[in-house]
């Protein structure tokens, strides 16, 4: 039984999140004095899901909230309890999505999560020009036609 407890700890590195079987991280929070939950989204990284949870718990409980990242609290608009569940969801998803994009683009671009462009001379895919899909493709190397 001890192994199950240890495994569960690794699956939930932050409060308010869990990992789906297929690897996505999801966040949700229970509404105060209600049985319902507020869905906070599905994310690629546990940090993004945890930041979405932090945003929601801060909106609900204010400065007394127990956060995953207390040093990253941004002063929110409105005090605790003033926002509707839909407004909390929107704000949490906005923060989580922004963090998810930064986390995934940083690790993809640099291979190690620092967000710098690779030094190999290759440009990341978002710098490539968009091809004109109405034109016939032209081979880059005229000698490469032998393989066709």
């Amino acid at each position: 039984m001890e192994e199950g407890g240890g495994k569960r700890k690794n699956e939930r590195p932050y409060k308010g999140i869990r990992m789906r079987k297929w690897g996505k991280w999801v966040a949700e929070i229970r509404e105060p004095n209600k049985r319902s939950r507020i869905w906070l989204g599905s994310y690629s990284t546990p940090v993004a899901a945890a930041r979405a949870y932090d945003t929601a718990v801060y909106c609900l409980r204010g400065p007394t909230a127990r956060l995953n990242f207390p040093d990253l609290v941004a002063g929110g608009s409105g005090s605790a309890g003033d926002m509707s569940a839909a407004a909390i969801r929107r704000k949490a998803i906005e923060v989580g999505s922004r963090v998810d994009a930064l986390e995934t683009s940083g690790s993809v671009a640099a291979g190690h999560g620092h967000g710098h462009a690779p030094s190999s001379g290759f440009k990341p895919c978002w710098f490539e020009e968009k091809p004109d899909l109405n034109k016939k493709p032209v081979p880059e190397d005229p000698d490469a036609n032998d393989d066709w």
Side-chain angles (χ1 to χ4, degrees), residues 80-120:
D82 287 350
M83 297 176 73
S84 68
I88 292 169
R89 179 184 300 114
R90 279 193 303 273
K91 189 166 186 160
I93 288 173
E94 177 187 334
V95 170
S97 298
R98 191 177 322 127
V99 172
D100 207 18
L102 290 172
E103 288 280 317
T104 56
S105 70
S107 62
V108 168
H112 48 70
H114 287 98
H116 301 295
S119 60
S120 64

Side-chain angles (χ1 to χ4, degrees), residues 21 67 74 78 86 91 95 130 140:
K21 290 178 187 175
L67 305 172
K91 189 166 186 160
V95 170
K130 301 285 184 202
E140 293 178 18

Side-chain angles (χ1 to χ4, degrees), residues 129-139:
E129 291 182 28
K130 301 285 184 202
D132 185 358
L133 299 176
N134 295 319
K135 289 184 178 178
K136 182 178 177 186
V138 178

Side-chain angles (χ1 to χ4, degrees), residues 28-29 38 40 50-62 65 67 83 88-89 91-92:
E28 62 185 356
I29 189 168
I38 301 173
L40 304 174
R51 292 286 305 276
Y53 172 83
D54 280 3
T55 302
V57 77
Y58 188 82
C59 289
L60 289 170
R61 297 183 184 18
L67 305 172
M83 297 176 73
I88 292 169
R89 179 184 300 114
K91 189 166 186 160

Side-chain angles (χ1 to χ4, degrees), residues 1-50:
M1 287 200 163
E2 221 171 287
E3 286 181 26
K7 183 180 177 191
R8 185 165 202 135
K9 190 74 171 170
N10 290 338
E11 288 178 8
R12 295 184 188 203
Y14 301 107
K15 184 172 175 47
I17 70 169
R18 68 180 190 278
M19 190 170 95
R20 296 272 192 206
K21 290 178 187 175
W22 51 88
K24 287 282 191 176
W25 292 91
V26 297
E28 62 185 356
I29 189 168
R30 200 175 286 278
E31 290 187 78
N33 305 320
K34 294 182 183 178
R35 295 182 67 152
S36 59
R37 296 173 188 249
I38 301 173
W39 178 252
L40 304 174
S42 178
Y43 305 96
S44 300
T45 63
V47 173

